[in-house]
Amino acid sequence: MKKIFGIYILTAAFILSAGCTKLDQTFYDKVTPETFYKSEKDIKAALYRPFTHARWYLGADRWNLQEYTADHFAITTKGRHWYNGGENERYHYHRWTPDDGWIWGTWRGTLMGVALALDTKKDLEKLDYTKFALTQADKDDHLNQLNTLIAFFYLRGLDYFGGLPVFESLEGESLPRNTDLETFTHIETLLKTAIEKLPKKKAGDKEEGALRQAAAATLLATLYFNAEAYINKPMFAECKKLCQDILAKTYGEYSLDASWYGPHAFSNDKSPEIIWSIPSEFNKLQYDWFYANFYHYNTNKYFDIDGGNNNGSHLQPSRKPTGELYTADFKLGSPYEQFSDQDLRKKPYKYLGGGRYEGMFIVGPHLTPSGAVINGGEEYKNLPLTFVDQVGRFSEVGPGKRYASVNVLPSKMSEGEENTGVRLVKVPVPNNADKSLRWGADNPAIRLTEIQYMLAECLLREGDKAGAAALINPVRKRAFTGGADPDPVTAANLDEYRMLREWGIEFLGEGRRRTDLIRWKKFTTETWWDHQPSARHYNRFPVPTQAISGNNNLKQNDGY
């Protein structure tokens, strides 16, 4: 770690110095915090650096491992596109190996996040904050935000890999992995310490990326919520208590947003339910990693914006090529059809101007805002594009073609087309007229709804189905006109599958699905579209080959 991090620091120093032309500089044989930090601005710049890493970490490979391995999203091969050497199929079918790139990117990114936060913490601990017109409370806040961030990275790493090398300085080298329990205990200790000293959110405070007391409490609740998967010890009672306290405002002032879109809209920094968000702004730290992969090459015409896409990701299908629903075949998956037809979110996404929008899916005929037809460029070249909630080579059906009818059309990962699958628009996209709003929505990393659903699941596991329903239904109601939910959760219809369905509806595309399936012991045991049960060891990812080749003290996970 010391060697790797040293290279990172030296590279950064070289980049910074390469643009300098001033010659009358003072050189030191050793840079110390006392010589480097000159103002409060320097302190905050250092504090923000590991948070920018967290912004990157919440997307891309980490999201991929959570969603493409589970029952909601897929990247099908679309004719000549997206086979990618079989990578997408390996994740979907649970056949990944220690050589796969998303796994290496996640292992490396996790430990880099820890190292960046530790390096900043080490510097700030040495500073006398009074010299910068700051207080001890400011210092405690900064240090415990970093403790919380370190715990966040370790928590995610524990979820993906199990035990990790636990280090509290950057002096070690070629460290072995700690046990699952040791890693769990380290996370727990960091968060308990942080909760004691972090400030609470007050009424009216905006969310601007700071980690407050409720964020640390939520991460601790999440650790306990999934403890059975992590250390083979159910800790739902501990999770329940924390969730109750958060909802009782013990850790700060939060409340459920009145609208379904409030936590995701352009002004979601004002949403009362955001507990921790990662700020985003056009041409700055943009929350946009998903944009290219999620949308068709010509979807920029649908959004009425500039810029292209590469047409990879989509929801797994709810319907067979014949149009029949898959719900009779398996209990998981079919994400689009899990939404009621009356659900306001199920409408096709449409930007209404002035920061307003409706719906969150691209489905059906692809049209410009003025109603003009958008054509395809591959299977449907010069033909109208219509996005379908199905997977199959429909362009190859008919007289003299490959398939005589849709009745014999296969539906699997290798059989996609350019219009395959419903597309999710959870982060609103404005048109060119409102370009200044683009990527104005922050990434809602933690929101109060998560607390309500965790508590609901804890109550369900205790047998209190009515209590669980009372927590879920207020969230559901805001997605229906006048709150008229046609299918509310009740004590009679709530079971583990309905609970997973509710997690899937509310948190679709928010990078948590694999973890939810594992907690209910369904990730490797259940069937969904084009996916059969896999071996138990796939509940964890392997230690990447590149990590072991650089550190022979690392032990591989069982089964790999």
Side-chain angles (χ1 to χ4, degrees), residues 20 61 102 152 197 271 345 423 543 548:
C20 293
D61 293 350
W102 296 347
F152 162 76
K197 294 189 176 182
S271 174
R345 294 168 291 190
R423 312 303 170 93
V543 180
I548 292 177

Side-chain angles (χ1 to χ4, degrees), residues 213-241:
Q213 200 174 87
T218 301
L219 292 174
L220 185 58
T222 302
L223 181 72
Y224 293 149
F225 194 46
N226 297 289
E228 188 172 13
Y230 299 157
I231 58 171
N232 201 30
K233 177 185 176 183
M235 298 184 72
F236 294 106
E238 291 84 346
C239 174
K240 174 185 173 182
K241 178 64 168 63

Side-chain angles (χ1 to χ4, degrees), residues 59-244:
D61 293 350
R62 274 63 53 201
W63 190 95
N64 296 348
L65 293 183
Q66 282 284 3
E67 299 290 0
Y68 293 131
T69 62
D71 65 326
H72 282 170
F73 289 85
I75 302 176
T76 52
T77 301
K78 301 171 185 66
R80 61 195 177 106
H81 298 291
W82 283 106
Y83 179 65
N84 283 13
E87 178 184 52
N88 301 319
E89 293 186 4
R90 287 197 299 276
Y91 287 109
H92 183 81
Y93 297 135
H94 292 188
R95 297 173 186 163
W96 55 76
T97 74
D99 296 321
D100 277 309
W102 296 347
I103 295 170
W104 165 237
T106 298
W107 174 276
R108 183 174 60 90
T110 299
L111 295 180
M112 179 61 77
V114 173
L116 285 167
L118 274 175
D119 188 57
T120 302
K121 181 183 173 185
K122 178 184 175 183
D123 279 355
L124 299 189
E125 282 176 330
K126 296 176 180 177
L127 295 180
D128 179 355
Y129 266 49
T130 61
K131 292 181 179 179
F132 305 93
L134 296 171
T135 67
Q136 183 62 41
D138 293 323
K139 185 172 184 177
D140 288 344
D141 175 18
H142 293 172
L143 294 178
N144 282 288
Q145 284 199 62
L146 293 168
N147 277 337
T148 304
L149 199 57
I150 292 165
F152 162 76
F153 287 120
Y154 270 126
L155 174 57
R156 295 298 293 268
L158 176 65
D159 189 272
Y160 290 123
F161 301 105
L164 296 166
V166 172
F167 52 97
E168 297 186 66
S169 77
L170 302 181
E171 300 305 314
E173 202 171 314
S174 299
L175 298 175
R177 297 173 69 188
N178 287 69
T179 66
D180 300 343
L181 181 58
E182 288 168 344
T183 306
F184 182 100
T185 301
H186 183 59
I187 298 165
E188 183 182 38
T189 300
L190 286 168
L191 292 173
K192 284 184 173 180
T193 300
I195 289 170
E196 291 178 1
K197 294 189 176 182
L198 284 174
K200 299 177 184 180
K201 179 187 176 184
K202 301 184 293 294
D205 286 351
K206 285 185 179 180
E207 283 303 321
E208 297 178 333
L211 284 160
R212 295 187 175 97
Q213 200 174 87
T218 301
L219 292 174
L220 185 58
T222 302
L223 181 72
Y224 293 149
F225 194 46
N226 297 289
E228 188 172 13
Y230 299 157
I231 58 171
N232 201 30
K233 177 185 176 183
M235 298 184 72
F236 294 106
E238 291 84 346
C239 174
K240 174 185 173 182
K241 178 64 168 63
L242 279 165
C243 291
Q244 289 172 327

Side-chain angles (χ1 to χ4, degrees), residues 225-485:
F225 194 46
N226 297 289
E228 188 172 13
Y230 299 157
I231 58 171
N232 201 30
K233 177 185 176 183
M235 298 184 72
F236 294 106
E238 291 84 346
C239 174
K240 174 185 173 182
K241 178 64 168 63
L242 279 165
C243 291
Q244 289 172 327
D245 288 345
I246 294 169
L247 292 175
K249 306 185 188 299
T250 302
Y251 298 109
E253 191 71 30
Y254 304 91
S255 60
L256 193 65
D257 202 296
S259 68
W260 69 265
Y261 53 80
H264 309 288
F266 299 105
S267 57
N268 62 346
D269 59 322
K270 300 179 180 67
S271 174
E273 79 173 58
I274 301 296
I275 291 176
W276 179 39
S277 63
I278 305 293
S280 176
E281 191 174 349
F282 191 36
N283 285 332
K284 293 186 179 179
L285 293 175
Q286 296 180 180
Y287 173 32
D288 65 349
W289 63 267
F290 48 82
Y291 178 74
N293 281 2
F294 276 29
Y295 306 123
H296 187 273
Y297 317 110
N298 295 332
T299 294
N300 62 303
K301 299 175 183 178
Y302 177 85
F303 289 135
D304 186 25
I305 58 173
D306 301 321
N309 312 97
N310 56 36
N311 198 30
S313 177
H314 55 82
L315 298 188
Q316 289 181 28
S318 303
R319 296 181 181 274
K320 303 175 185 180
T322 57
E324 299 170 83
L325 288 169
Y326 279 115
T327 49
D329 296 74
F330 34 76
K331 295 182 178 180
L332 297 175
S334 301
Y336 181 67
E337 286 299 334
Q338 299 296 348
F339 288 80
S340 165
D341 288 343
Q342 286 76 51
D343 194 315
L344 296 171
R345 294 168 291 190
K346 201 176 184 182
K347 289 183 178 183
Y349 174 80
K350 183 178 181 180
Y351 183 67
L352 303 174
R356 298 174 301 111
Y357 67 98
E358 65 181 21
M360 65 177 200
F361 295 105
I362 295 176
V363 61
H366 215 34
L367 307 172
T368 68
S370 64
V373 170
I374 299 172
N375 290 334
E378 296 290 327
E379 292 87 357
Y380 299 95
K381 187 174 182 178
N382 299 323
L383 295 172
L385 267 178
T386 299
F387 287 96
V388 296
D389 191 15
Q390 297 161 291
V391 173
R393 298 287 296 174
F394 291 92
S395 61
E396 298 181 4
V397 175
K401 295 186 178 181
R402 184 178 177 187
Y403 301 105
S405 74
V406 293
N407 295 315
V408 295
L409 198 60
S411 183
K412 55 184 180 179
M413 286 289 290
S414 61
E415 303 299 308
E417 295 183 315
E418 65 177 309
N419 66 335
T420 288
V422 176
R423 312 303 170 93
L424 178 67
V425 191
K426 200 146 197 181
V427 181
V429 180
N431 58 21
N432 265 332
D434 282 344
K435 190 174 183 178
S436 62
L437 291 176
R438 196 173 183 191
W439 313 128
D442 297 341
N443 185 346
I446 302 174
R447 52 195 183 95
L448 192 67
T449 314
E450 184 178 348
I451 306 303
Q452 291 204 191
Y453 277 38
M454 282 199 287
L455 180 55
E457 185 173 316
C458 290
L459 294 178
L460 168 61
R461 290 173 181 272
E462 291 178 353
D464 183 4
K465 294 185 177 183
L471 289 161
I472 298 169
N473 285 329
V475 179
R476 285 183 55 87
K477 286 176 66 175
R478 64 186 182 177
F480 297 91
T481 301
D485 183 354

